Amino acid sequence: MTVKISQTAEIQKFFEEAAGYGNDAGSPRLKRIMLRVLQDTAKIIEDLEVTDDEFWTAVDYLNRLGGRGEAGLLVAGLGIEHFLDLLNDAKDAQIGKTGGTPRTIEGPLYVAGAPIAQGETRMDDGSEDGVATVMFLEGRVLDLDGKPIAGATVDLWHANTKGNYSYFDQSQSEYNLRRRIVTDAEGRYRARSIVPSGYGCDPQGPTQECLNQLGRHGQRPAHIHFFISAPGYRHLTTQINLSGDQYLWDDFAYATRDGLVGEVNFVENAHGIEGRVAELEFSFQLQKATSADDEQRSHRPRALQVQGA
Ligand code: MBD
Ligand code: FE
């Protein structure tokens, strides 16, 4: 049996030193994680006989990935963000935190600080009038007994007809297709917007470059993102993925889940609009919070639009 160099006591000691185990400064938590990253990286290199060229290609790839701001996109595309949902679902099941609308990934394209409206709002800036299909979206925020939650915040964001998101797409106006809507006394939110198109990774970007090597596409179905929160209830991060989209169950980010498919109805000459109009109704059910932390979204670093910038 050949000895694995990476598993010898000597190399293990060496990585403990590299991870800061020989000093009292820094973060014990990060040291522990880093040691494991180093050990497991070494094991992968040795077990899979990763060549020097492969290794340095990967280092260069990380530089390019970060340079293009696509790290969050790659973790979604490799299914790691979905894995975090599955892990959190399993933890919840163990402690009996079940029921309500399923969670699904946030994705990398949220921007904090969207305009706040009471009960209803228009989300699009009119720049795609005549091109986009107008969409009337409405629903309620409910507890697990189906009772309405008034004063809940529905923070929602979606792409335009090109599949692009404002802020990241600088050709769009500030906060286009991003709003926070506070539910009314019946727990209801209403939005006039436009039917979004699915997102596709930049074909020239590093994420798609990796997906190409895996023989995979980088497309998402049309979808709408939500953060739902209310005092006393558990924060919910989720999405509605739109029925009829060819990528509905072939999402490169694995975000579509049972219970999160929105049925779009097309009607003619409704809501005072001539021609075809889309209607989408979707309600959310929240679990009760069991701690103050439960009410908050994760502390993932996010973009914040600076007004007027
Ligand atoms: C998106 O719009 C998205 O929702 C995810 C998860 C990844 C890339 C673009
Ligand atoms: Fe998205």
Side-chain angles (χ1 to χ4, degrees):
M1 207 186 80
T2 53
V3 182
K4 293 282 184 180
I5 304 296
S6 65
Q7 304 310 300
T8 60
E10 221 180 325
I11 298 285
Q12 295 294 312
K13 269 247 149 324
F14 168 61
F15 282 137
E16 282 177 22
E17 156 60 29
Y21 274 57
N23 71 65
D24 292 329
S27 158
R29 173 69 178 162
L30 185 68
K31 289 179 186 190
R32 187 168 172 218
I33 295 169
M34 190 59 74
L35 176 59
R36 183 62 180 271
V37 168
L38 296 175
Q39 289 171 334
D40 287 9
T41 302
K43 190 166 178 357
I44 292 168
I45 291 170
E46 188 169 28
D47 288 355
L48 302 185
E49 299 182 51
V50 173
T51 66
D52 285 5
D53 282 357
E54 285 170 335
F55 180 79
W56 294 112
T57 296
V59 170
D60 176 64
Y61 179 81
L62 289 180
N63 269 336
R64 292 187 292 108
L65 184 71
R68 294 284 293 267
E70 286 195 2
L73 189 61
L74 184 70
V75 296
L78 292 179
I80 305 281
E81 195 174 359
H82 178 61
F83 168 73
L84 295 179
D85 283 339
L86 298 177
L87 191 62
N88 283 323
D89 286 354
K91 285 188 198 160
D92 283 357
Q94 272 177 5
I95 54 173
K97 283 185 169 179
T98 55
T101 304
R103 60 162 62 87
T104 199
I105 66 169
E106 171 182 334
L109 304 175
Y110 178 76
V111 180
I116 300 177
Q118 300 298 321
E120 60 185 312
T121 191
R122 180 168 173 178
M123 296 179 68
D124 67 297
D125 63 7
S127 59
E128 294 187 291
D129 279 0
V131 179
T133 303
V134 176
M135 174 178 76
F136 287 88
L137 168 65
E138 70 165 82
R140 296 202 296 166
V141 179
L142 308 165
D143 68 13
L144 294 188
D145 298 324
K147 294 205 191 74
I149 303 173
T153 299
V154 176
D155 190 343
L156 72 165
W157 68 105
H158 67 78
N160 66 5
T161 64
K162 296 189 170 117
N164 295 327
Y165 287 80
S166 65
Y167 181 88
F168 302 96
D169 169 13
Q170 300 196 348
S171 77
Q172 294 183 48
S173 65
E174 252 180 29
Y175 288 116
N176 189 36
L177 311 176
R178 300 177 185 275
R179 289 295 183 274
R180 284 177 285 178
I181 307 173
V182 179
T183 58
D184 68 14
E186 280 77 55
R188 196 169 291 280
Y189 73 95
R190 285 192 178 86
R192 173 186 163 157
S193 196
I194 57 168
V195 177
S197 294
Y199 172 95
C201 291
D202 178 351
Q204 309 316 329
T207 298
Q208 188 58 57
E209 176 186 327
C210 174
L211 293 171
N212 287 345
Q213 298 281 318
L214 304 179
R216 294 182 46 203
H217 69 71
Q219 301 298 129
R220 294 217 55 214
H223 61 279
I224 305 165
H225 295 267
F226 291 86
F227 284 155
I228 317 269
S229 60
Y233 293 89
R234 212 167 173 213
H235 170 90
L236 175 68
T237 298
T238 196
Q239 305 179 15
I240 310 175
N241 288 272
L242 304 189
S243 62
D245 193 297
Q246 72 169 121
Y247 294 106
L248 181 63
W249 294 105
D250 186 21
D251 175 4
F252 97 101
Y254 309 100
T256 309
R257 308 189 77 175
D258 286 333
L260 298 180
V261 177
E263 299 290 334
V264 183
N265 272 316
F266 292 99
V267 294
E268 296 287 329
N269 306 321
H271 306 275
I273 308 260
E274 267 179 61
R276 212 162 90 113
V277 178
E279 290 178 345
L280 175 54
E281 185 170 350
F282 202 94
S283 292
F284 301 90
Q285 281 188 293
L286 300 185
Q287 294 176 12
K288 279 233 149 59
T290 54
S291 69
D293 212 44
D294 256 6
E295 297 181 20
Q296 309 298 320
R297 65 193 188 209
S298 79
H299 295 100
R300 173 181 183 154
R302 298 176 175 89
L304 173 66
Q305 174 84 60
V306 178
Q307 293 286 341

